[in-house]
Amino acid sequence: MDSGVCAALAARDTEASAMHISYGQRTEDRERRAFEGICDRLGIGRRLVIRNEALRLVGGSALTDESIAVPEVNGSNKIGSGPIPITYVPFRNAHFLAAAVSWAEVLGAGKVYIGAVEQDSSGYPDCRPAYYRAFNQAVKAGTREGIIEIVTPLIAMRKAEIVKLGLELNAPFDLTWSCYSREDRACGVCESCVLRLRAFAEAGAQDPIPYAEQAAGHRI
Ligand SMILES: [Zn+2]
């Protein structure tokens, strides 16, 4: 959802290209289909699809290790307030950004957009503003011209605001996929589904994707 809105912003404001990375996550086939559909809808022709083997081999996350269950959100666990959840993929966004900055250098692109969100999200450390400030220093020091900038237009927004922005931009929500555990219908009870459903509810909008069930009485 966040990536889809971020892509809509980039497509509106720039001559955008798009990168997709499969990293052995449970829903990688569904996410890849979402990527192609979103690019088609937004008119993004130049695409790069990458497979990252390191994250799957390293494991340590419920998204990449089949032996670790994806937790369901219930009334007693509050998203984003406790320890970093088991759905965190260790230092994942650094892998994404490294690949995207490499491609940006070759394309001569000046900006790399990423739909990271800090507020009312899962509390992943690689979604914090300080991380992107530090990463931008590394990009400046480690690239040929030192002029590529990673931008995070959604990072300070609440999820409901992202839904509203997406509706204004006519972002392709119907093509996006957020569920951590299922590929046929969204499970409705993983952290990512619950955050998404709550964002649509708070925005007074209907989420257009199909759900298997929706958690009742959850508190986020
Ligand atoms: Zn789900």
Side-chain angles (χ1 to χ4, degrees):
M1 177 185 115
D2 305 325
S3 304
V5 174
C6 193
L9 268 178
R12 183 193 68 179
D13 296 341
T14 73
E15 190 191 317
S17 304
M19 171 180 284
H20 179 75
I21 303 185
S22 291
Y23 55 94
Q25 75 272 38
R26 291 165 188 264
T27 56
E28 65 172 26
D29 293 338
R30 184 65 188 79
E31 289 181 37
R32 168 79 190 275
R33 289 209 308 278
F35 168 79
E36 298 293 352
I38 290 164
C39 286
D40 288 347
R41 180 83 61 83
L42 294 176
I44 298 174
R46 192 163 44 196
R47 306 170 196 180
L48 185 61
V49 174
I50 290 177
R51 168 158 291 278
N52 176 306
E53 294 293 348
L55 291 168
R56 185 181 60 79
L57 293 168
V58 165
S61 166
L63 302 197
T64 52
D65 184 338
E66 288 290 334
S67 70
I68 304 173
V70 175
E72 292 186 3
V73 178
N74 59 44
S76 60
N77 51 359
K78 202 163 178 280
I79 295 171
S81 62
I84 293 165
I86 193 65
T87 51
Y88 167 63
V89 179
F91 213 46
R92 183 196 69 179
N93 289 354
H95 295 251
F96 293 179
L97 292 172
V101 170
S102 294
W103 196 33
E105 268 211 290
V106 173
L107 294 176
K111 288 193 168 114
V112 171
Y113 283 68
I114 182 167
V117 177
E118 185 186 35
Q119 290 191 54
D120 59 19
S121 61
S122 297
Y124 298 149
D126 56 356
C127 288
R128 295 171 184 155
Y131 167 75
Y132 290 96
R133 284 196 294 275
F135 211 104
N136 266 323
Q137 289 300 311
V139 172
K140 193 174 167 60
T143 50
R144 189 184 281 130
E145 310 262 356
I147 53 169
I148 297 166
E149 184 192 7
I150 295 162
V151 294
T152 54
L154 310 183
I155 202 158
M157 295 176 72
R158 291 184 52 84
K159 287 281 218 186
E161 293 173 326
I162 294 168
V163 170
K164 288 179 187 165
L165 174 62
L167 293 170
E168 282 170 29
L169 294 168
N170 205 18
F173 284 128
D174 56 313
L175 300 174
T176 63
W177 198 255
S178 305
C179 183
Y180 285 154
S181 63
R182 287 178 63 150
E183 299 187 288
D184 53 346
R185 284 184 297 167
C187 78
V189 291
C190 75
E191 199 173 87
S192 186
C193 281
V194 170
L195 284 167
R196 176 177 172 134
L197 283 164
R198 191 181 85 152
F200 273 89
E202 282 184 9
Q206 183 73 38
D207 188 345
I209 67 165
Y211 284 87
E213 58 176 307
Q214 296 191 11
H218 60 263
R219 201 179 62 217
I220 300 169

